[in-house]
Amino acid sequence: MSDEDAPTASQPDAGLAERLEAGELVRWIYLYGDRRRLSAILLAAVFGVSLLLIRAGLITPAEAGDVTTLSGALIGGMLPFITVVLAINQLILSEEFGSTGAFFQRLEETREYRHRIEDHTGYRPSPAEPSEFLRVLIEAKRKTALGLQNVCRDAPSDVRSRINSFVSQTDPKDRDAIETLGAAQFGSFTVISVILHYNDPWQLQVVRQLREAHRADLSEAADGQLERLEELLGDIHIARQYFKSVYMQQELADLSKILLYVGFPTLLGGAFVIIAYGNLLALGLHPYVYVLVVSATITALFSPFAVLLLYVLRIATIARRTAADFGPFVLQQELPKEETETLEFS
C-alpha cells in the first residue's frame, strides 16, 4: 500500500458520547453532571439502602453496640482522608512554589507563546480569557483549512478529494467548537468538553500525510497553507493541554475544600453518636426516631467517600481521555471500551 492510500492511525474524534457508548445518564455521571448534585443523589441512595437494611434486620438500631461499632468502623475509614487532602494540596502547591528566576522564565515563555499565537492568527493582542483564546485559535485554523481548499481547486483530483474530505469532516466540529466557546466561560465544564472533543493529533497527522504524499503536486500557496495548519494545530494542542491542566488543578482544589467542609463535621457527628447513642436509646423514643438517626449517621459518614468518588471519577475520565495526546502522535484510547478504528482517505 502506498503512502497515498495508507489509512490514518485513527479516525476524527467522534465525540465523547460515541466513545462512552452509553446513554445520557452515564455521560452525565461521568462528566457533565454537577458533582455536588450527584453527591446528594448518591447519599440519598445510601440513606435509602440504610433504611432497607434496617427493615431487613441486618442493622438493628435498638442495639447500641451494633450502631457504635458501625460508626467506629466508618470513622476509622475516614481518617485516611486527612492524608488525601494533604496530598492534593501538596500537588496543587507544588505548581505555585518557585524562585524568582523560575517565575521569570515562566512569564517569558508565556509571553513568547502569546507572540507566536499573534503571529499565526493575526489577532493582536491575543485574548487573555482562556475560552476566547482557544476560540481565536480554532477560528484561525478553520479559516486556514478553508483557504487550503480554495487554493487547491485547480489541483489534481486526488489531492482535491483528500483535502475536501478533510475539510468536510473537520469544519462542522470547528464551527461547533467556535460557537460553544463564544458563549462559555472558563471554569465551566463547557470549555473542557471542547478540549476533550477536539482531536488535533489526528488532524495534524492528516496534514502531515497530505504534505508528504502530494508534495510534488502542491502549489507554493497550498504548501504554505498546510504549513500554517501544522503550526496552528500545534498551538491548539498546547492551549488544550495547558487549559486542561489548569481546570484539573481547580477541580482538585475544590475537592480538597469540600472534603474538609464535609469531613470535619461528619467526624464530630460520628464521634457524638458513638458516645451518646446508648443514652439516646435509654430515652425510649419512638422506634422510627432511632431508624432515622442510624440511617442519617451512616449517610453522613459516607459523605466524604461520595464526594471523593464523584470528583475523582470526572478527573480520571478527563485524564484518561487526554493521557495519550502527544501532539503529532495519535494514541488516544477511548472510554470505557478501548477501540481504535481507522479511516481511509483515498
Side-chain angles (χ1 to χ4, degrees):
M1 182 180 291
S2 67
D3 290 342
E4 204 169 306
D5 297 325
T8 60
S10 181
Q11 65 173 8
D13 198 352
L16 194 62
E18 290 83 354
R19 287 195 303 277
L20 285 176
E21 295 180 351
E24 287 292 332
L25 178 61
V26 174
R27 293 195 297 274
W28 185 66
I29 292 172
Y30 268 76
L31 289 171
Y32 299 104
D34 181 87
R35 301 295 99 179
R36 294 169 186 174
R37 185 179 302 175
L38 275 168
S39 298
I41 294 172
L42 180 57
L43 291 175
V46 171
F47 185 80
V49 170
S50 300
L51 292 176
L52 291 175
L53 292 175
I54 291 172
R55 184 177 180 84
L58 299 177
I59 299 176
T60 51
E63 295 292 334
D66 292 349
V67 175
T68 55
T69 300
L70 178 60
S71 298
L74 290 174
I75 288 175
M78 284 179 55
L79 294 179
F81 275 83
I82 299 173
T83 305
V84 171
V85 171
L86 290 175
I88 291 172
N89 280 285
Q90 184 178 10
L91 177 64
I92 296 169
L93 291 174
S94 66
E95 297 295 323
E96 304 299 326
F97 294 142
S99 64
T100 54
F103 286 123
F104 179 77
Q105 183 177 355
R106 287 168 62 178
L107 177 63
E108 287 300 307
E109 289 172 351
T110 302
R111 183 182 299 162
E112 182 180 345
Y113 176 66
R114 290 175 69 88
H115 288 164
R116 170 188 168 94
I117 298 303
E118 290 163 2
D119 291 339
H120 290 170
T121 63
Y123 196 104
R124 298 177 186 274
S126 55
E129 208 282 319
S131 58
E132 180 65 14
F133 184 89
L134 190 58
R135 188 191 68 79
V136 166
L137 276 174
I138 295 176
E139 190 169 24
K141 178 262 163 185
R142 175 176 177 264
K143 290 178 180 177
T144 303
L146 293 175
L148 172 66
Q149 189 178 37
N150 186 54
V151 299
C152 289
R153 286 181 177 176
D154 298 327
S157 60
D158 56 339
V159 177
R160 282 201 320 272
S161 175
R162 295 187 72 176
I163 289 173
N164 290 338
S165 180
F166 172 72
V167 173
S168 67
Q169 291 183 75
T170 59
D171 188 66
K173 294 184 182 298
D174 288 341
R175 284 189 279 107
D176 289 344
I178 291 167
E179 182 180 355
T180 301
L181 290 169
Q185 184 175 4
F186 188 76
S188 68
F189 192 77
T190 304
V191 178
I192 299 302
S193 69
V194 173
I195 290 174
L196 288 176
H197 292 165
Y198 202 83
N199 198 340
D200 57 88
W202 173 84
Q203 296 187 48
L204 182 57
Q205 178 69 3
V206 173
V207 169
R208 289 172 58 84
Q209 286 181 345
L210 282 169
R211 291 191 76 187
E212 292 302 319
H214 300 284
R215 188 176 293 276
D217 300 323
L218 292 170
S219 65
E220 184 177 347
D223 190 68
Q225 290 292 95
L226 284 169
E227 183 178 3
R228 186 162 183 257
L229 268 179
E230 281 194 47
E231 293 172 345
L232 285 168
L233 286 167
D235 296 336
I236 290 171
H237 176 74
I238 294 170
R240 283 180 62 226
Q241 293 299 321
Y242 176 70
F243 294 146
K244 179 199 73 174
S245 299
V246 172
Y247 177 82
M248 291 176 71
Q249 283 185 341
Q250 292 178 341
E251 283 278 275
L252 288 171
D254 288 343
L255 172 60
S256 177
K257 289 192 299 182
I258 293 173
L259 283 177
L260 288 176
Y261 294 156
V262 171
F264 186 67
T266 300
L267 192 63
L268 289 179
F272 176 79
V273 168
I274 292 175
I275 295 171
Y277 191 75
N279 295 331
L280 187 64
L281 277 178
L283 296 177
L285 302 175
H286 195 284
Y288 284 161
V289 173
Y290 301 111
V291 169
L292 291 175
V293 168
V294 172
S295 298
T297 300
I298 294 172
T299 302
L301 292 173
F302 264 107
S303 58
F305 297 95
V307 171
L308 182 65
L309 168 66
L310 292 166
Y311 269 86
V312 171
L313 180 64
R314 179 154 75 181
I315 292 169
T317 301
I318 295 172
R320 183 69 173 84
R321 167 65 185 87
T322 58
D325 277 352
F326 298 121
F329 297 104
V330 184
L331 304 175
Q332 291 158 324
Q333 294 174 312
E334 299 161 352
L335 285 170
K337 179 182 177 183
E338 296 183 12
E339 181 180 353
T340 303
E341 300 177 2
T342 60
L343 179 66
E344 186 169 332
F345 281 85
S346 58

